[in-house]
Amino acid sequence: EKKEIKVPEIKLSNSPNQTNSDNLKTGNISFTFTQMKPVDLDQIRVGKAKKDGEKAIQDFEQAKKLFTEKKYDETINILRSLTEKFSSVAKYHSHLGLAMLEKGWGGYAQAEFKVALHFDPKDEIALKNYVSSGSKKEKKQKEEKIDLNSTQNLKSVIGKFKSMFNR
């Protein structure tokens, strides 16, 4: 047995202002087609960049607040995401380096300070905390000299004691 289904008549109109109340009463459907407006992709990009920049400023302020509260893990998480998204902003790297220093992650911190100085050679935090590999070598050499001097002094003292007791 076949059942017949009534399909409403569809009328198409080209005028956006044309409405047909008779069609609505009788169950007929009408569609209005309008021309799409052009999209300015540059304007969309600028708007998105502005929103991203505002969000970054808020996130950075939140990270600084968390740092003062000694919540270093949360600080590091926020600053890592900022450095991933805005890799050329030196202050994000230098503050990340500070948080890493507080966690005892000296090597990672030094890497962040170095990146910060790459993007801003005058970044005060990075300048204050970065230890270049050359100065690390110099520091080690100074420590070795101190050890050698103290060893030589110790040998000298031991030699004097030996000479006193050998008499």
Side-chain angles (χ1 to χ4, degrees), residues 12-30:
L12 303 176
S13 66
N14 289 327
S15 170
N17 297 327
Q18 181 180 356
T19 58
N20 191 339
S21 60
D22 293 335
N23 284 339
L24 295 174
K25 290 177 187 173
T26 60
N28 293 334
I29 300 171
S30 66

Side-chain angles (χ1 to χ4, degrees), residues 33-161:
F33 293 91
T34 58
Q35 188 175 5
M36 289 183 62
K37 294 178 183 176
V39 176
D40 185 357
L41 294 177
D42 289 333
Q43 185 179 8
I44 292 171
R45 283 187 197 108
V46 167
K48 184 178 179 341
K50 183 178 177 184
K51 285 181 186 177
D52 288 348
E54 291 169 355
K55 173 93 169 81
I57 291 169
Q58 291 172 352
D59 288 350
F60 183 61
E61 292 302 317
Q62 178 67 22
K64 290 193 311 187
K65 180 180 178 233
L66 290 167
F67 182 84
T68 59
E69 295 171 0
K70 299 185 181 199
K71 296 180 179 177
Y72 303 121
D73 290 327
E74 293 93 335
T75 303
I76 289 169
N77 287 335
I78 292 171
L79 291 170
R80 275 189 174 157
S81 67
L82 285 172
T83 57
E84 287 171 10
K85 193 162 189 164
F86 303 96
S87 62
S88 63
V89 179
K91 67 181 178 181
Y92 298 160
H93 290 282
S94 59
H95 281 80
L96 177 56
L98 283 179
M100 289 176 162
L101 272 181
E102 291 298 323
K103 288 285 290 184
W105 302 345
Y108 293 114
Q110 291 303 312
E112 291 300 328
F113 294 138
K114 187 174 184 177
V115 172
L117 289 171
H118 170 76
F119 291 113
D120 180 6
K122 295 179 181 179
D123 184 290
E124 291 180 20
I125 293 170
L127 283 171
K128 182 179 176 182
N129 292 286
Y130 179 63
V131 179
S132 70
S133 58
S135 61
K136 285 181 185 176
K137 287 179 185 174
E138 291 170 11
K139 184 179 177 183
K140 189 174 182 177
Q141 287 173 347
K142 285 180 184 176
E143 288 173 359
E144 287 174 358
K145 284 182 183 177
I146 292 169
D147 289 343
L148 288 174
N149 289 337
S150 62
T151 304
Q152 288 172 351
N153 288 338
L154 184 60
K155 285 180 181 177
S156 163
V157 171
I158 291 173
K160 287 180 182 177
F161 275 111

